[in-house]
Every structure is written in structure tokens, then in C-alpha cells.
Amino acid sequence: MLELVNVSKLYGSVEALKGVSLKVRRGEFVGILGPNGAGKSTLLRVMVGVEKPSSGKVLVDSKEPSREEWASFRKKVGFMPERVSFYDNLTGLETLLFFAKLKGFGIKEVERVLSFGLLTEEDLRRKVGEYSKGMKQRINVMQALLGPPEFLVMDEPTSGLDPEGVVRFFEIVEELKNNGTTVVMSTHVVGEVEERADRIVILKEGRVAAEGSPEEVYLSMPVRFVVKAKRSDLIEVLKKNGAASVTKKGDFLIAEVPPKRKMEFLKALLEHEDAVEDLIMRGPSLEEVVSDGK
Amino acid sequence: MVSEEVKGIVRKEVLDKYRTRWIQLSAVTLLIFTLAISYFGGSPAGVVGFRKFEAVFVSLLTLVTYLIPLIALVLGSGAFPEEREKGTLPILLSSVATPEELWTGKVAGYALVLAGTVVAGYLPALALVFIKFGSWVLPSLLVFLLSSLLLGTSMLLLSMTASLLIRERTRVLALSLLLWIVIVILYDLSLLGLLVVTKGMVSKALFTFLLLLNPVDVFRMVNLLHVGELKAMLGFATVEIPPYVSPPVLWSILVAWIIVPGALGRLLLERRLAG
């Protein structure tokens, strides 16, 4: 449905995206993970056509959209940027009606979004300037849900929401996804996408560091083996059979093994079973993957 | 035909800005100034009150040349930086079908806010002038009001376009104030300086041409062509306006000062969006 081909984005001399290629299929839930400054927000803005890439292409349904096709695509998008404070002088209802009107909808669509229960009618009669950060975030969620969108793109959507709000938010997203909405969301909280996303994309320094289902991403990461050795020559055996590095800590050998050499490493361990007293194999957590960007 | 999206943006701008305190204060300030200046404006000539129409009129004109460009430039400087600071610009850009819709809606909304502020600030004074001097002043007052609005809109579009080029609101505001100083004060001072330095050797054609480049001078010329006796009062006594500088030409220049920055702003917004 949506494809980024070798997309780069420059802001002056800063390269926010460096040759990013990525596909988002219809009906999919894609989680974008990455440390601060990794380029997540820029990637989302390029996806919805709010920013032009400096180079590379954005394809919608396998072709570069014309001006008219972008216009029609944008009408199907619900976009929720991060940290929006909205218009202090407008009430919540006026704010939602404004965004509904921009997308060609009226009060009925606002009432439908109201039925999700994120804000009460009384809240909506108050001016947005009186809202808390969490309430503004709820308005942000609500404006993105107008339509409902076929393509929902959200930048750190749960930031500022209370636990109850987070639960309700994911219930709504789940419902939309079940009805065929494509969901792309960026987050710092790995747990939010680990269980829900069909695919995750890890960005680091403007590049895709890893991509796939959470399981595929785990399998693509180096594994750490902690081996309690009976013999001192085991360290050489491990180094020769797949370990990228081996460090000695007391009786323990800690080996980092690249994903493609795991089996070779395990075979070597089995062949030298007599030298091994015990072992633990530990894959990285997704948090470690994201923060290390390995 | 105006799309529902454009109408939505206009409505939002009008609602939001009319509830903004400094806009309300601007209208009240204009109101106080216009009433005070209409009454006391002729005092340097030894006339107080609504005695001589030309004296009242020239005071109002002077007020417009300073205040309307200032209000318009400050108002327009927040057009896009405010949306950026609030984080709403990406939502707007992802919601509208085309950048023209956003630009048209913003310009129309801001122009309506400015017009409302100007009319609210001027109408009581103009009504008093009309009641005091009679219906013969009506054409001059209408020319005055319309040209004020065109001058304000041109300044508004200049700062709105600048607000697309510069991200930070404070920097756009600084640029807008600089523009105000140049257009309203320095430009005419420079022309006078040119006359003094060259001992009046600058050709009349060149001098008139230079005057026509500044919307504030064009605004003054439009009004003095309608009320001939203003020439000396406005400092144009030495300027001989050539026949080709007719009211239609002057009105066209004022309109061009709206169209050119308007088209530039639209182009800048279009270049930003992917499609």
C-alpha cells in the first residue's frame, strides 16, 4: 500500500533520514522504534506527505502519486503528531469540528468519535487552553480517528495519557485494525508494540537498523552465551567456532555470537560437552535492541 | 466556489483570533486613537473639533499609515509559526487536500480578522465625521476605508509569506517590525534625503516612480487624488503627480501588493508538501 524507496531527508546539514526503504501493507500494524533523534517523527511525516523527501520516492499502491492522488490519499489518513497543544481559544468541540470539516465531515462524525469516551461532552465545552496535557493528547487521538481513517499514523500516541487512557486507546486501535485500518505508530515503550505489532522497524541515526516481526527481529540479533567452563582451553574452542568475542569472568565465559553462527557455536559446545559444567543462552530484550540499535 | 475546507479554516481563524486579547486591544486602541485624532487632529492648525474635514481626514490618514501596517504585520507574523509551535501544522497539512486550500483559508481568515479590527476601530470615528460634515464626504471616507483595508492586507500577506520562510515566531516578528520601519518610516526619509543630497536634481518621473514602489505612499496618493486639498498637508506639495498616475493605476498597484506576496506564499507552501 505505502512504500518508501531509499528515502533521505535533510534539514540544512542534518540528515534526519538516510536511505530508508520500507513497506507498509494494507491492514498491517507497524511499530516504529528507536532512540531519541533516530528519525521516527520525520519518517512518519514523510509517510503522510507532510514533508517532501530530499531524495528517494514515496509510493502509494506501487506508484508515485500525482498531485490529485496525494490529495485523495491524505483524505484517508489520520495523522497524530506528537506534543500538540491545539488552539487555546477554541473549545474542544470547536477544535474537533474544525478538523472534521478539513476532512469533509460534519458533526455526526464528531459524535461518532465522541462515543469512544475519551472526553466527556462537558470537557468538550471547555476551552482547550484549560485542558491538561493528557486531555490535549486525548483530543489529538480523537482528531486522528475522524473518518475513520484507512491509514492511521501516530507519533508517540500514548505520551501524556494516563494508564486508563492508554488501555482505552489500544482498545480503539485494535477495533480499527480489525476493521481493516492500517496502523503505523512510533513509540519509546517497546511493550506497546511488542505484543500488538505485526511488524516492527527499528530506526537508528536515520537508518533502518532492524525490521520484521518481533520474533524475526529477535532472531536477527546477536545472542549472548554464559558458559561455566570446566577446562581453560574452552575459550579457544568458542572463539574458533562462531563467537565474535569471548570474555572471562571468574569461572564463566561470556560469548557474543552473531545470529548466523549460532548453530555452529551450539555444535561446538555439544562436541566439547565434557568441558561445560552449565550454560545460559540469553537473547537481547527489544529494549536493548532499540537502545543499542544492534 | 469556496470549498468547505477553506470555509472551515476561515471560521477557525476568525473564532480563534477574535478571542485573542491583543486583537481586541488593537481594535479598542484604534477606536480611541481615531476618535481622539478626529477631534484634536486639527489642533496644530489652531482648529479643535470637527471643524475642517481636510484636517480631520489628514489626521486619520496619518494614523492609518502607522497603525494599520503595524497591526497587519504583527498579526500575519504568527500565521504559520504559531501552528508550528502548537504542533498543529502537520495535522493541517495532512488533512487538507491541497496546500492552496490551507493558504487561501489562512489568508481569508486573517484578512477578515484584520478587516473586522480596522472597521471596529474606525467606524465610530468615520460615522461621526459623516454626521458632522454631511454626505459629500462619503466618497472620500469610502476610498479611505477601502484603501486602508488593501494596505493592511498587503502588509498582512508580506508577513504571512515571511512566516513560511522563517520557522521561529520571534524572528518573523523581528523581520515584520523591520519591514514596518523600512516601509513606513525609512523609505520616505530616504527619498527626502535623496532630494536634499541631489539638491532637487532627481527627475520628477524617477521620484514618482520611487513613490509608486511603496504601498504606503501609494495609499497616500490614492487618498490625495480623491481629496485634492490634502496635497500640502501630506507633504506632497513639491510632488507633481503625472497624469498617468491615475486612480485606477494606484488601485492596481495596491492590489498587486496583495497578489504578488499572496502568490509567493502559495508557491512556498506547495513546495513543502509532497503532493
Side-chain angles (χ1 to χ4, degrees), chain B residues 117-136:
Chain B
T117 309
V118 171
V119 170
Y122 271 53
L123 215 53
L126 296 186
L128 275 176
V129 170
F130 176 71
I131 292 164
K132 190 74 194 168
F133 295 104
S135 59
W136 67 273

Side-chain angles (χ1 to χ4, degrees), chain A residues 3 9 28 46 49-50 53 56 61 83 87 95 99-100 102 128 133 144 182 201 207 209 242 249 271 277:
Chain A
E3 192 176 352
K9 179 71 190 172
E28 215 178 18
V46 169
V50 166
D61 292 330
R83 287 192 292 271
Y87 312 105
T95 305
F99 287 110
L102 280 189
V128 173
K133 189 183 167 197
T182 307
V201 175
R207 288 197 173 87
K249 202 174 176 185
E271 279 169 15
E277 191 177 322

Side-chain angles (χ1 to χ4, degrees), chain A residues 243-260:
Chain A
S245 68
V246 183
T247 48
K248 196 170 183 310
K249 202 174 176 185
D251 291 340
F252 295 96
L253 300 176
I254 300 158
E256 296 282 345
V257 183
K260 284 184 181 167

Side-chain angles (χ1 to χ4, degrees), chain B residues 35-195:
Chain B
L35 286 173
I37 279 191
S38 305
Y39 193 79
F40 296 108
S43 54
V47 186
V48 172
F50 298 94
R51 298 266 181 89
K52 192 167 163 55
F53 172 67
E54 286 76 12
V56 172
F57 195 75
V58 83
S59 303
L60 287 173
L61 269 185
T62 309
L63 186 71
V64 165
T65 54
Y66 285 98
L67 277 188
I68 303 293
L70 184 64
I71 292 172
L73 284 164
V74 172
L75 176 67
S77 67
F80 288 93
E82 262 178 26
E83 301 282 3
R84 251 185 233 117
E85 283 163 16
K86 288 175 194 296
T88 43
L89 189 59
I91 308 178
L92 295 182
L93 291 171
S94 69
S95 302
V96 291
T98 60
E100 292 100 283
E101 279 183 355
L102 181 56
W103 181 246
T104 310
K106 278 256 172 201
V107 168
Y110 271 70
L112 267 179
V113 171
L114 180 70
T117 309
V118 171
V119 170
Y122 271 53
L123 215 53
L126 296 186
L128 275 176
V129 170
F130 176 71
I131 292 164
K132 190 74 194 168
F133 295 104
S135 59
W136 67 273
V137 300
L138 191 61
S140 302
L141 295 183
L142 288 176
V143 165
F144 169 75
L145 196 59
L146 184 60
S147 57
S148 301
L149 292 176
L150 289 180
L151 175 68
T153 309
S154 68
M155 296 295 112
L156 184 72
L157 277 155
L158 274 183
S159 61
M160 284 183 80
T161 303
S163 82
L164 278 169
L165 285 167
I166 304 167
R167 294 182 74 83
E168 296 85 15
R169 191 184 178 186
T170 46
R171 289 176 64 193
V172 187
L173 192 60
L175 178 67
S176 297
L177 292 175
L178 182 70
L179 278 173
W180 180 77
I181 291 168
V182 171
I183 295 171
V184 178
I185 301 168
L186 290 183
Y187 192 84
D188 284 357
L189 276 180
S190 308
L191 287 190
L192 280 174
L194 184 70
L195 276 180

Side-chain angles (χ1 to χ4, degrees), chain B residues 13-20 23-24 112-117:
Chain B
E13 295 301 349
V14 170
L15 272 181
D16 188 27
K17 294 291 170 298
Y18 279 146
R19 291 174 188 169
T20 307
I23 295 286
Q24 297 165 355
L112 267 179
V113 171
L114 180 70
T117 309

Side-chain angles (χ1 to χ4, degrees), chain A residues 231-240 246-248 253:
Chain A
R231 284 197 333 247
S232 59
D233 65 327
L234 188 63
I235 192 164
E236 290 307 315
V237 174
L238 300 184
K239 276 183 183 171
K240 280 180 192 162
V246 183
T247 48
K248 196 170 183 310
L253 300 176

